[in-house]
Coordinates of all heavy atoms in Angstrom, one line a residue:
A1 N 68.6 139.5 -36.6 CA 68.7 140.5 -35.5 C 70.1 141.1 -35.4 O 70.3 142.1 -34.8 CB 68.4 139.8 -34.1
G2 N 71.1 140.5 -36.1 CA 72.4 141.1 -36.1 C 73.5 140.1 -35.7 O 74.6 140.5 -35.4
G3 N 73.2 138.9 -35.6 CA 74.2 137.8 -35.3 C 74.4 137.5 -33.8 O 73.6 138.0 -33.0
L4 N 75.4 136.7 -33.5 CA 75.6 136.2 -32.2 C 75.7 137.3 -31.1 O 75.2 137.1 -30.0 CB 76.8 135.3 -32.2 CG 76.7 134.0 -33.0 CD1 78.0 133.2 -32.9 CD2 75.5 133.2 -32.5
P5 N 76.4 138.4 -31.4 CA 76.5 139.4 -30.3 C 75.1 140.0 -29.8 O 75.0 140.4 -28.7 CB 77.3 140.5 -30.9 CG 78.1 139.9 -32.0 CD 77.2 138.8 -32.5
V6 N 74.1 139.9 -30.7 CA 72.8 140.3 -30.3 C 72.1 139.3 -29.5 O 71.3 139.6 -28.7 CB 72.0 140.7 -31.6 CG1 70.6 141.0 -31.3 CG2 72.7 141.8 -32.4
L7 N 72.4 138.0 -29.7 CA 71.7 136.9 -29.0 C 72.4 136.6 -27.7 O 71.7 136.3 -26.7 CB 71.7 135.7 -29.9 CG 71.0 135.7 -31.2 CD1 71.2 134.4 -31.9 CD2 69.5 136.0 -31.0
F8 N 73.7 136.7 -27.6 CA 74.4 136.2 -26.4 C 75.1 137.3 -25.6 O 75.7 138.2 -26.2 CB 75.5 135.2 -26.8 CG 74.9 133.9 -27.3 CD1 74.7 133.7 -28.7 CD2 74.5 132.9 -26.4 CE1 74.2 132.5 -29.1 CE2 74.0 131.7 -26.9 CZ 73.8 131.5 -28.3
K9 N 75.0 137.2 -24.3 CA 75.8 138.1 -23.4 C 77.2 137.5 -23.3 O 77.4 136.3 -23.7 CB 75.1 138.1 -22.0 CG 73.8 138.6 -22.0 CD 73.2 138.5 -20.6 CE 71.8 139.1 -20.5 NZ 71.2 138.9 -19.1
T10 N 78.1 138.3 -22.7 CA 79.4 137.7 -22.4 C 79.3 136.7 -21.3 O 78.6 136.9 -20.3 CB 80.3 138.9 -22.0 OG1 80.4 139.8 -23.0 CG2 81.7 138.4 -21.6
N11 N 79.8 135.5 -21.5 CA 79.8 134.5 -20.5 C 80.7 134.8 -19.4 O 81.9 134.7 -19.5 CB 80.1 133.1 -21.2 CG 79.9 131.9 -20.3 OD1 79.7 132.1 -19.1 ND2 80.1 130.8 -20.8
T12 N 80.1 135.1 -18.2 CA 80.9 135.4 -17.1 C 81.2 134.2 -16.2 O 81.9 134.4 -15.2 CB 80.2 136.5 -16.2 OG1 78.9 136.0 -15.8 CG2 80.0 137.8 -17.0
N13 N 80.7 133.1 -16.5 CA 80.9 131.9 -15.7 C 81.1 130.7 -16.6 O 80.3 129.7 -16.5 CB 79.7 131.7 -14.8 CG 80.0 130.7 -13.6 OD1 81.0 130.1 -13.6 ND2 79.1 130.6 -12.7
P14 N 82.2 130.7 -17.4 CA 82.4 129.6 -18.4 C 82.5 128.2 -17.7 O 82.1 127.2 -18.2 CB 83.6 130.0 -19.2 CG 84.3 131.0 -18.4 CD 83.2 131.7 -17.5
A15 N 83.1 128.2 -16.5 CA 83.3 126.9 -15.9 C 82.0 126.2 -15.5 O 81.8 125.0 -15.7 CB 84.2 127.0 -14.6
A16 N 81.1 127.0 -15.0 CA 79.8 126.5 -14.6 C 79.0 126.0 -15.9 O 78.4 124.9 -15.8 CB 78.9 127.5 -13.9
W17 N 79.1 126.7 -17.0 CA 78.4 126.3 -18.2 C 79.1 125.0 -18.8 O 78.4 124.1 -19.2 CB 78.4 127.4 -19.2 CG 77.3 128.4 -18.9 CD1 77.5 129.6 -18.2 CD2 75.9 128.3 -19.1 NE1 76.2 130.2 -18.0 CE2 75.3 129.4 -18.6 CE3 75.1 127.3 -19.7 CZ2 73.9 129.6 -18.7 CZ3 73.8 127.5 -19.8 CH2 73.2 128.6 -19.3
A18 N 80.4 125.0 -18.7 CA 81.1 123.8 -19.2 C 80.7 122.6 -18.4 O 80.4 121.5 -18.9 CB 82.6 124.0 -19.1
A19 N 80.6 122.7 -17.1 CA 80.1 121.6 -16.2 C 78.7 121.2 -16.5 O 78.4 120.0 -16.6 CB 80.2 122.0 -14.7
R20 N 77.8 122.1 -16.8 CA 76.4 121.8 -17.2 C 76.4 121.1 -18.5 O 75.6 120.1 -18.6 CB 75.6 123.1 -17.2 CG 74.1 122.9 -17.6 CD 73.4 122.0 -16.5 NE 73.5 122.5 -15.2 CZ 72.6 123.3 -14.6 NH1 71.5 123.7 -15.2 NH2 72.8 123.7 -13.3
F21 N 77.2 121.5 -19.5 CA 77.2 120.8 -20.8 C 77.7 119.4 -20.6 O 77.1 118.4 -21.1 CB 78.1 121.5 -21.8 CG 77.5 122.7 -22.4 CD1 78.1 123.9 -22.3 CD2 76.2 122.6 -23.0 CE1 77.5 125.1 -22.9 CE2 75.6 123.7 -23.6 CZ 76.3 125.0 -23.5
T22 N 78.7 119.2 -19.8 CA 79.2 117.8 -19.5 C 78.2 117.0 -18.8 O 78.0 115.8 -19.1 CB 80.5 117.9 -18.7 OG1 81.5 118.7 -19.4 CG2 81.1 116.6 -18.3
E23 N 77.5 117.6 -17.8 CA 76.5 116.9 -17.0 C 75.4 116.4 -17.9 O 74.8 115.3 -17.7 CB 75.9 117.8 -16.0 CG 74.8 117.3 -15.2 CD 74.2 118.4 -14.3 OE1 75.0 119.2 -13.8 OE2 73.0 118.4 -14.1
N24 N 75.0 117.1 -19.0 CA 73.9 116.8 -19.8 C 74.3 116.1 -21.1 O 73.5 115.9 -22.0 CB 73.1 118.1 -20.1 CG 72.3 118.5 -18.9 OD1 71.5 117.8 -18.4 ND2 72.6 119.7 -18.5
A25 N 75.6 115.8 -21.2 CA 76.1 115.1 -22.5 C 75.5 113.7 -22.6 O 75.2 113.0 -21.6 CB 77.6 115.0 -22.4
P26 N 75.2 113.3 -23.8 CA 74.7 111.9 -24.1 C 75.6 110.9 -23.5 O 76.8 111.0 -23.5 CB 74.7 111.8 -25.6 CG 74.7 113.2 -26.1 CD 75.4 114.0 -25.1
G27 N 75.0 109.9 -22.9 CA 75.8 108.8 -22.3 C 76.1 109.0 -20.8 O 76.6 108.0 -20.2
R28 N 75.9 110.1 -20.3 CA 76.2 110.4 -18.9 C 75.1 109.7 -18.0 O 75.4 109.3 -16.9 CB 76.2 111.9 -18.5 CG 77.2 112.6 -19.3 CD 78.6 112.5 -18.8 NE 78.7 113.0 -17.4 CZ 79.7 112.9 -16.7 NH1 80.8 112.4 -17.2 NH2 79.7 113.4 -15.5
K29 N 73.9 109.6 -18.4 CA 72.8 109.0 -17.7 C 72.0 108.1 -18.6 O 71.9 108.4 -19.8 CB 71.9 110.0 -17.1 CG 72.5 111.0 -16.1 CD 71.6 112.0 -15.6 CE 72.3 113.0 -14.6 NZ 71.5 114.1 -14.3
V30 N 71.5 107.0 -18.1 CA 70.6 106.2 -18.9 C 69.3 106.9 -19.1 O 68.7 107.4 -18.1 CB 70.4 104.8 -18.2 CG1 69.4 104.0 -19.0 CG2 71.7 104.1 -18.0
S31 N 68.8 106.9 -20.3 CA 67.5 107.5 -20.6 C 66.4 106.7 -20.0 O 66.4 105.5 -20.0 CB 67.3 107.6 -22.1 OG 66.0 108.1 -22.4

């Protein structure tokens, strides 16, 4: 399709996404 710029929008809320990645990281919760 043309690479990452075609797939992704500019991230306007990086802090919220970083928090979500941390929240869902392995080891944060028992499966």
Side-chain angles (χ1 to χ4, degrees):
L4 294 178
V6 174
L7 297 177
F8 292 94
K9 297 177 181 177
T10 300
N11 185 353
T12 59
N13 196 350
W17 282 97
R20 181 61 56 95
F21 283 124
T22 300
E23 174 186 326
N24 289 301
R28 300 284 297 179
K29 297 178 184 172
V30 176
S31 175

